[in-house]
Amino acid sequence: MANNIKYFIGNWKMFGVPKSISILDKINKFIKSDKKFNKKYKIVVTPPHTLLQSYSKFFLKKIISIGAQNCYHKDNYGANTGAISPLMIKSVGAQYIIVGHSDNRSEGDTDAMLKSKVENSLNNKLKVVFCIGENKEHKLNNKTFEVLENQIKNVLEEKFNFNNIIIAYEPIWSIGTGQIPEADDLLKTTIFIKKILKNIFKKKYLPVVLYGGSVDGKNIKRFKKLNEIDGFLIGGASKSDKNFIDIIKNYYR
Ligand code: 13P
């Protein structure tokens, strides 16, 4: 089963200074002026922490929602130099948070840390975009499903408010490489992920599963037929208003 809302989430990673807000302003204006765009689409952008407060304030009553890209695994305040907690992120107006991106997993995020990040973010009423994905070696050895199942089961628990959790399936081999999965494989994987989620959350909610990895204005047309996919987590192409608008436009028009 697919959801009614389709998400387009732009992950800026280490990009953006205050004036980059003009990129988002153009996207927001485009969406506002386009009669075909409707409430079935949700646009979220995750700038770096340095821009969360000003961007959240600017987009408070606009179409685009703002989220953070990561957080520290402990909440509240602490003697942790350079760390930013979910409480601090929420306090500046962010509504979403990405947890478990492969960039952060490769820098040392463990499942235990990710569980704590998810739980603390949910406790602070942030919507969590939880990333999972296999690497090239897993794929070549037919380990994709096993890896994804472990990534999900080691972090998500039935007691979590699944209404506020979005899964982003991002195969590591497709991030920034221009390679995307075959439609058939992607469909099977998405259905598999939803099955695992339904088992954990006892079918109370309809899982929201996004795809991420080299999505652009051209290949987005190939994803249109895959109704099981509830949206996209977009890296490189989200840093340009033209590219981001092309993706949105070519998907729903
Ligand atoms: P690209 O769209 O640049 O491949 O990045 C995907 C990603 O990592 C989004 O989180």
Side-chain angles (χ1 to χ4, degrees):
M1 273 262 276
N3 285 278
N4 287 330
I5 294 186
K6 298 285 181 192
Y7 289 84
F8 293 84
I9 305 184
N11 176 11
W12 274 10
K13 306 187 185 181
M14 195 169 75
F15 167 83
V17 289
K19 70 176 181 196
S20 316
I21 200 165
S22 67
I23 299 170
L24 300 189
D25 199 28
K26 283 184 202 143
I27 298 168
N28 199 75
K29 283 191 176 123
F30 160 77
I31 297 164
K32 217 175 141 194
S33 66
D34 191 301
K35 295 204 172 57
K36 282 198 177 153
F37 190 86
N38 62 38
K39 291 206 170 69
K40 282 193 193 153
Y41 300 91
K42 181 81 206 138
I43 313 291
V44 180
V45 174
T46 63
H49 289 331
T50 45
L51 302 173
L52 281 180
Q53 179 161 28
S54 57
Y55 284 22
S56 296
K57 208 169 162 195
F58 185 82
F59 288 105
L60 187 61
K61 296 215 164 89
K62 298 192 172 76
I63 297 166
I64 293 177
S65 298
I66 298 297
Q69 298 170 17
N70 194 9
C71 61
Y72 195 59
H73 58 277
K74 293 183 194 161
D75 203 13
N76 301 313
Y77 305 123
N80 305 98
T81 305
I84 297 173
S85 64
L87 175 136
M88 292 156 78
I89 288 168
K90 181 68 183 181
S91 78
V92 293
Q95 291 173 273
Y96 288 76
I97 184 160
I98 294 175
V99 173
H101 194 283
S102 58
D103 290 345
N104 308 123
R105 289 180 188 262
S106 70
E107 285 166 354
D109 272 14
T110 61
D111 286 337
M113 285 158 74
L114 295 177
K115 190 192 274 277
S116 159
K117 289 182 185 198
V118 170
E119 190 160 23
N120 293 334
S121 296
L122 291 171
N123 287 343
N124 282 285
K125 306 265 180 308
L126 289 162
K127 285 190 194 290
V128 173
V129 180
F130 180 60
C131 300
I132 56 173
E134 83 283 6
N135 64 25
K136 188 137 211 159
E137 202 184 325
H138 298 139
K139 181 177 157 61
L140 292 174
N141 291 314
N142 285 325
K143 296 264 187 248
T144 299
F145 281 12
E146 190 184 320
V147 168
L148 299 178
E149 184 166 0
N150 284 335
Q151 287 175 337
I152 295 171
K153 286 190 173 163
N154 290 347
V155 174
L156 300 185
E157 288 185 35
E158 191 187 354
K159 67 173 186 191
F160 292 171
N161 180 2
F162 194 62
N163 254 338
N164 286 337
I165 300 178
I166 293 168
I167 304 296
Y169 168 56
E170 295 205 308
I172 297 169
W173 53 269
S174 90
I175 296 175
T177 61
Q179 292 175 32
I180 57 170
E182 296 294 332
D184 218 34
D185 286 345
L186 186 52
L187 188 62
K188 280 188 200 141
T189 308
T190 308
I191 291 169
F192 173 78
I193 294 168
K194 290 193 176 186
K195 197 181 87 190
I196 302 289
L197 294 167
K198 280 185 196 162
N199 285 342
I200 297 176
F201 293 98
K202 308 282 186 280
K203 297 185 184 166
K204 261 190 291 187
Y205 308 105
L206 214 50
V208 178
V209 179
L210 317 183
Y211 167 73
S214 295
V215 174
D216 64 31
K218 284 203 181 102
N219 63 26
I220 191 74
K221 290 180 187 160
R222 291 202 236 160
F223 296 107
K224 271 171 121 167
K225 289 181 221 115
L226 306 178
N227 201 34
E228 286 284 339
I229 297 175
D230 303 305
F232 305 91
L233 183 55
I234 304 153
S238 71
K239 297 184 282 187
S240 137
D241 45 273
K242 183 184 175 309
N243 292 344
F244 201 43
I245 289 170
D246 274 353
I247 291 175
I248 300 167
K249 231 168 37 183
N250 291 340
Y251 187 81
Y252 76 86
R253 276 191 178 163

